[in-house]
Amino acid sequence: MVKTQKTEPNQTDRLLVIACGMIAREVLAVKQQLKLDHLDLTCLPAEFHFYPDRIAPAMDKAIEKAKTEGYRHIFVGYADCGTGGLLDRVIEKHGVERMAGPHCFAFYQGMDAYANVADGDMMSFYMTDFLCRQFEAFFIKPLGLDRHPELIKDYFGNYEKLIYLAQTDDPELDKVAEKAAAMLGLAYERRSTGYGDLTVELARVAQGAA
């Protein structure tokens, strides 16, 4: 488990968010934006995005550890994220909550908005600020596309569009997303989502812990 912010034992009056490493920057941005000084953050590895079977057991251990450190208020910064309900078993076991929805691509857009576009986005490949920053490390090199660009059709041939869900307005990230769409041979769309339901949910659970 990778910690992004140090905590001390017996944090009984603080809120601990145990999140996916892919949304660490965003959780901290919301913390600063809303002045949630009593919010602590720890993250599971971002690479679990590719290994969803690892999320639930790692979260189980992370929550157990947090409880031994004295945390009474714990929130899971994951949606289901491909665990097929296994993450829900863990949070039910511990009596905690998680982000609603199937994945971060949904809660960034807001669950109501996502419900309206989900069917139309079925053949779309989503990118976020994190995935733009880590495009080389998360896609190009692991998939070997830098060495074997002919594999692009094998991996992305069923997609029709690349949709960049932008949490921030960063021209450099826009360029990465546009270049990725061109490289993958996909149509391109940019949606400015901000932090979506992440802001709403962190505000809610932080108020409950205050």
Side-chain angles (χ1 to χ4, degrees), residues 10 19 45 47 55 73 78 89 95 106 122 124 126 135 142 188 194 198:
N10 302 316
E47 67 179 19
I55 295 173
H73 307 289
Y78 275 89
R89 294 184 188 178
M122 194 69 67
S124 298
Y126 286 129
F135 188 65
Y188 177 69
L198 184 63

Side-chain angles (χ1 to χ4, degrees), residues 1-209:
M1 184 171 62
V2 178
K3 280 203 170 186
T4 59
Q5 184 173 334
K6 186 178 180 181
T7 62
E8 299 295 335
N10 302 316
Q11 302 287 358
T12 56
D13 297 324
R14 302 186 65 79
L15 167 68
L16 178 66
V17 177
I18 306 175
C20 171
M22 286 179 58
I23 69 168
R25 182 190 292 252
E26 289 69 28
V27 171
L28 293 176
V30 172
K31 172 181 176 174
Q32 181 178 17
Q33 182 183 87
L34 300 182
K35 296 179 170 55
L36 304 178
D37 295 334
H38 64 300
L39 185 155
D40 293 330
L41 172 66
T42 188
C43 290
L44 302 185
E47 67 179 19
F48 284 7
H49 177 77
F50 294 122
Y51 308 100
D53 58 306
R54 300 181 185 179
I55 295 173
M59 183 60 67
D60 190 27
K61 292 179 181 178
I63 294 174
E64 291 283 5
K65 183 176 185 294
K67 288 182 174 180
T68 65
E69 293 176 344
Y71 284 101
R72 294 185 298 113
H73 307 289
I74 299 170
F75 183 71
V76 172
Y78 275 89
D80 178 75
C81 296
T83 68
L86 294 180
L87 182 58
D88 284 336
R89 294 184 188 178
V90 172
I91 66 173
E92 289 168 8
K93 169 186 172 182
H94 292 287
V96 300
E97 294 183 83
R98 68 164 173 87
M99 289 295 303
H103 40 62
C104 66
F105 309 122
F107 68 66
Y108 274 146
Q109 297 182 82
M111 289 305 300
D112 291 340
Y114 176 71
N116 292 328
V117 299
D119 289 343
D121 286 356
M122 194 69 67
M123 306 301 290
S124 298
F125 177 71
Y126 286 129
M127 289 186 68
T128 63
D129 283 12
F130 175 91
L131 290 174
C132 284
R133 292 188 183 97
Q134 303 295 330
F135 188 65
E136 290 281 335
F138 255 62
F139 294 108
I140 300 300
K141 292 181 179 179
L143 297 178
L145 301 182
D146 52 338
R147 303 182 303 278
H148 300 285
E150 68 274 10
L151 294 176
I152 288 175
K153 290 185 178 180
D154 293 330
Y155 287 118
F156 298 94
N158 291 325
Y159 292 107
E160 298 174 351
K161 181 191 294 186
L162 184 151
I163 300 176
Y164 171 31
L165 306 175
Q167 283 71 68
T168 58
D169 291 319
D170 186 331
E172 293 304 312
L173 297 184
D174 290 340
K175 291 178 183 177
V176 172
E178 292 169 3
K179 182 178 178 180
M183 185 188 75
L184 301 178
L186 303 176
Y188 177 69
E189 179 182 343
R190 183 187 191 276
R191 294 178 189 168
S192 181
T193 66
Y195 305 121
D197 287 348
L198 184 63
T199 301
V200 177
E201 286 297 281
L202 291 182
R204 179 183 65 82
V205 296
Q207 183 177 18

